[in-house]
Amino acid sequence: MSDSTSVGIVAAQTAHFSEPLQLKSGEVLPQFDLVYETYGTLNADKSNAVMICHALSGNHHVAGKYNEDDKYPGWWDNLIGPGRPLDTNKFFVIGLNNLGGCHGSSGPSSINPATSKPWGADFPLVTVEDWVASQARLADHLGIKQLAAVIGGSLGGMQALQWTLAYPERVRHSLVIASAPNLTAQNMAFNEVARQAIITDPEFYGGDYYSHGVVPRRGLRIARMLGHITYLSDDAMGEKFGRKLRDGKIKYSFDVEFEMESYLRYQGDKFAGEFDANTYLRMTRALDYFDPAVEYNGDLTAALAKAKAKFLVVSFTSDWRFSPARSREIVKALLDNELAVSYAEVTAEHGHDAFLMPDPHYHNILRTYLQNIEIGGAA
Amino acid sequence: MNATQTNSALNTEFRQDFAIIADWVKLGSKVLDLGCGDGSLLNFLRGSLDVRGYGVEKDDSNVISCMHNNINVIQMDLESGLSGFEAQSFDVVVLSQTLQAMHNTEGIVQEMLRVGREAIVTFPNFGYWRHRIQLIAGQMPVSEYLPYQWYDTPNVHLCTIHDFDEFCVNHSIRVKERRVLTDDGRPVSFMPNMLGSLAMYRLQSR
């Protein structure tokens, strides 16, 4: 199927960084790789670059397909392409896989150059701040001094916010979607259960399962099942599955009885087959640790005083894992600092997942905001 | 391309009430416009007085229009108050022809004076003679500023100029200035509660 608004066939690239990266934990990554993709064309004065920051399980394959036969395009394909809300006729879009990831960037499952074996448990814990520092290196590598925009949903929104704090001069617009200024205790609690599922899997081997030729599939599967419950709203789950039985009648067993169970098992199995457990642990920790206000006695307004960018903050009414109230905290702190900010609260029933859905009003918000971003030169 | 789009999307006809509001707003002020619609007022104030403006709007399509017009807009329902805004963080808070549609009328006026050093409130004067005649004739008033039928009106708290003056006295609100206009935007000084159709108030806390 060819679609004139698709970015079409894409290919990933890898950038190697030989300068050490000082991590927030105190550890140092002596060298690292970042795998990334780009869509559209960087204009002459390099003023049209937009970076996409991914969430928990995302990666650099944001849009397009690797070949015509690919069943699915990149994870945010509905947003990006010629004529789509993030229009590649105007913008040069960069997607990357974060450090600690499992899709080609340096991470627990990649080879540690020092030992020629997978890093495993030795790969350091990375934070949102570390990711943004590495993303800035990628921008340097591409010759980009200032991003027109940085966009992210959920954990990606935290990176979009962090960009404006770490590099206020290097980002003109920040789009913080379905995100929060930090996680609530309840939100962190879900992460802890997910991690415990993985860590207590007998095939976890303290994170060095690679050398045993196994993966902690059971733990990863349960972690993902739990995640999926929290990404949907009660209403959305009710509408999608209700109490529908898979085989029409109760079997009095612990096999799949309800459609909802079938969905969760399918999602869990699929994820356990393709994602790395050590990466999952690190991504959830990055979520837990992010809290720009903590250095300011919890004063988010003081924490965001450094920012200079213009902001678009978007939340979804049925999102209870990253609720509108959390987005409004960000908006208030931006208002307190007299920064340019617009905030849209999208009526949506899909819960946290809504930020990836092509809801017409939501996409219209992004399209309208992005259309008004000024870029120099001819795109 | 953006400039022409911006202008064509806005209501460009001259608005006397905007001109009066502009008269009450100082150059470079920080202004919060509650129920800002498509951002026309803020765009007007930005152009003429270089204000730093934010709008508050509930309606989805108006939020899009504001973004289209490069107006900072916060989507929220005014009925839930202004808790997302710090006390005295704005020079002026405007509520333009929205007071009569608010359920929590007392609450919003108090919130405006908490958040703003000054508040500007405008509303259709229910005491306008054309409204009175329609009532005497036995019908609910319909006019330039009250364009709805009784069954489809969003207005729930209509009042007269006399009523609002009393409201301000009872709520320790100082009326710094008041202007009253006719349907076609001409100022009224004689018998304003009878001859004026739009009331405009500049308010401060006492």
Side-chain angles (χ1 to χ4, degrees):
Chain A
M1 191 183 77
S2 80
D3 175 350
S4 62
T5 67
S6 165
V7 296
I9 302 300
V10 299
Q13 303 173 69
T14 301
H16 180 74
F17 300 89
S18 47
E19 286 278 302
L21 183 69
Q22 173 69 54
L23 303 175
K24 198 180 178 197
S25 65
E27 290 197 56
V28 175
L29 210 50
Q31 51 176 303
F32 61 96
D33 289 341
L34 289 178
V35 60
Y36 67 99
E37 290 178 11
T38 68
Y39 323 107
T41 309
L42 189 60
N43 61 2
D45 64 358
K46 302 184 178 182
S47 62
N48 68 337
V50 174
M51 190 169 281
I52 306 288
C53 302
H54 70 73
L56 192 64
S57 60
N59 55 42
H60 56 289
H61 186 38
V62 189
K65 292 182 173 183
Y66 290 136
N67 60 65
E68 290 292 349
D69 304 328
D70 278 359
K71 198 170 168 193
Y72 298 109
W75 58 270
W76 215 350
D77 186 78
N78 60 39
L79 184 75
I80 302 162
R84 291 188 187 172
L86 181 51
D87 191 339
T88 48
N89 288 327
K90 175 179 179 181
F91 292 110
F92 175 68
V93 181
I94 308 157
L96 81 155
N97 184 214
N98 279 333
L99 280 177
C102 55
H103 292 90
S105 291
S106 297
S109 54
S110 64
I111 300 298
N112 179 353
T115 63
S116 302
K117 286 193 289 198
W119 279 92
D122 291 339
F123 195 85
L125 266 69
V126 283
T127 62
V128 168
E129 291 88 337
D130 299 331
W131 285 336
V132 169
S134 71
Q135 290 162 7
R137 296 265 192 103
L138 179 62
D140 294 341
H141 172 79
L142 296 168
I144 296 158
K145 289 198 173 68
Q146 187 188 57
L147 295 167
V150 54
I151 306 178
S154 190
L155 176 56
M158 291 175 166
Q159 294 158 60
L161 181 58
Q162 175 60 24
W163 256 98
T164 70
L165 307 180
Y167 305 103
E169 311 289 346
R170 294 194 69 175
V171 53
R172 298 203 299 279
H173 295 266
S174 175
L175 282 71
V176 180
I177 303 168
S179 195
N182 62 18
L183 292 194
T184 59
Q186 185 198 47
N187 205 333
M188 288 193 290
F190 288 119
N191 286 343
E192 174 59 5
V193 176
R195 280 191 301 269
Q196 285 298 311
I198 291 167
I199 289 168
T200 59
D201 186 315
E203 294 188 318
F204 182 63
Y205 292 107
D208 287 320
Y209 44 88
Y210 313 103
S211 57
H212 292 79
V214 292
V215 291
R217 183 179 290 271
R218 281 164 287 185
L220 196 51
R221 179 171 174 269
I222 291 167
R224 188 60 171 177
M225 290 168 79
L226 175 68
H228 268 282
I229 299 168
T230 70
Y231 304 149
L232 285 172
S233 67
D234 193 9
D235 285 348
M237 263 195 147
E239 190 160 311
K240 197 167 179 169
F241 308 110
R243 295 184 53 84
K244 262 182 282 180
L245 291 162
R246 193 167 72 160
D247 296 329
K249 60 178 193 330
I250 289 193
K251 294 175 294 188
Y252 297 96
S253 80
F254 297 115
D255 290 338
V256 170
E257 290 271 32
F258 296 96
E259 285 285 5
M260 166 274 301
E261 297 165 1
S262 169
Y263 168 80
L264 288 180
R265 289 187 192 198
Y266 170 79
Q267 293 293 346
D269 287 336
K270 182 163 158 271
F271 192 70
E274 61 193 25
F275 207 81
D276 181 63
N278 279 321
T279 290
Y280 200 85
L281 296 178
R282 280 161 181 73
M283 295 286 168
T284 59
R285 265 305 187 216
L287 268 167
D288 294 352
Y289 291 150
F290 183 67
D291 188 3
V294 79
E295 292 164 39
Y296 298 85
N297 295 317
D299 183 350
L300 188 63
T301 297
L304 302 196
K306 286 177 280 196
K308 294 198 163 103
K310 297 178 174 179
F311 286 82
L312 173 65
V313 179
V314 181
S315 72
F316 300 89
T317 51
S318 58
D319 184 351
W320 55 277
R321 195 145 181 200
F322 290 81
S323 71
R326 304 309 319 280
S327 284
R328 287 197 292 262
E329 288 178 38
I330 297 173
V331 172
K332 178 169 186 303
L334 296 171
L335 284 169
D336 290 346
N337 283 298
E338 302 194 4
L339 288 160
V341 53
S342 282
Y343 169 62
E345 201 166 293
V346 178
T347 304
E349 61 178 26
H350 288 102
H352 190 50
D353 271 350
F355 90 85
L356 293 170
M357 308 256 172
D359 173 76
H361 174 59
Y362 165 47
H363 268 197
N364 201 5
I365 289 165
L366 297 181
R367 179 187 297 276
T368 306
Y369 188 87
L370 291 164
Q371 272 172 348
N372 272 347
I373 292 181
E374 287 173 16
I375 55 166
Chain B
M1 185 189 84
N2 283 336
T4 45
Q5 274 184 355
T6 301
N7 290 337
S8 65
L10 286 166
N11 182 357
T12 47
E13 94 187 58
F14 180 75
R15 298 258 314 251
Q16 184 60 32
D17 57 332
F18 282 13
I20 290 170
I21 291 171
D23 200 29
W24 288 346
V25 171
K26 288 198 189 73
L27 194 72
S29 294
K30 194 177 164 199
V31 177
L32 182 64
D33 184 10
L34 305 178
C36 66
D38 66 0
S40 298
L41 173 63
L42 286 171
N43 194 57
F44 178 76
L45 296 176
R46 181 173 58 189
S48 55
L49 291 164
D50 199 27
V51 304
R52 291 161 296 145
Y54 296 86
V56 170
E57 180 55 52
K58 182 172 67 171
D59 178 72
D60 281 349
S61 59
N62 277 336
V63 167
I64 298 268
S65 297
C66 285
M67 285 182 185
H68 184 68
N69 295 323
N70 254 324
I71 298 292
N72 294 314
V73 60
I74 309 299
Q75 185 167 30
M76 54 175 269
D77 186 351
L78 291 177
E79 299 287 359
S80 55
L82 300 177
S83 59
F85 300 91
E86 276 296 316
Q88 301 295 293
S89 59
F90 282 84
D91 296 311
V92 183
V93 181
V94 181
L95 185 67
S96 173
Q97 297 179 46
T98 304
L99 183 77
Q100 75 281 359
M102 294 287 302
H103 286 268
N104 188 5
T105 314
E106 288 175 296
I108 195 64
V109 176
Q110 276 156 4
E111 276 287 81
M112 288 174 77
L113 289 167
R114 178 185 66 82
V115 169
R117 282 177 274 279
E118 239 179 73
I120 295 173
V121 173
T122 78
F123 60 86
N125 174 28
F126 200 70
Y128 182 44
W129 66 273
R130 285 182 193 275
H131 298 157
R132 297 189 193 199
I133 283 179
Q134 289 177 68
L135 276 174
I136 289 168
Q139 286 198 305
M140 280 298 282
V142 178
S143 67
E144 169 92 7
Y145 289 111
L146 291 178
Y148 302 98
Q149 297 296 328
W150 64 271
Y151 50 82
D152 65 4
T153 180
N155 298 330
V156 291
H157 282 144
L158 290 160
C159 69
T160 67
I161 289 172
H162 184 80
D163 292 330
F164 194 75
D165 283 341
E166 213 170 82
F167 173 90
C168 291
V169 171
N170 294 339
H171 290 80
S172 298
I173 296 165
R174 187 169 89 85
V175 178
K176 205 174 164 189
E177 218 169 320
R178 189 187 77 187
R179 303 265 185 99
V180 179
L181 302 180
T182 59
D183 274 347
D184 48 8
R186 279 177 298 117
V188 179
S189 48
F190 177 67
M191 292 179 72
N193 195 35
M194 178 74 87
L195 302 179
S197 67
L198 183 71
M200 305 184 67
Y201 282 77
R202 190 177 179 188
L203 308 172
Q204 279 182 330
S205 290
R206 230 182 247 287

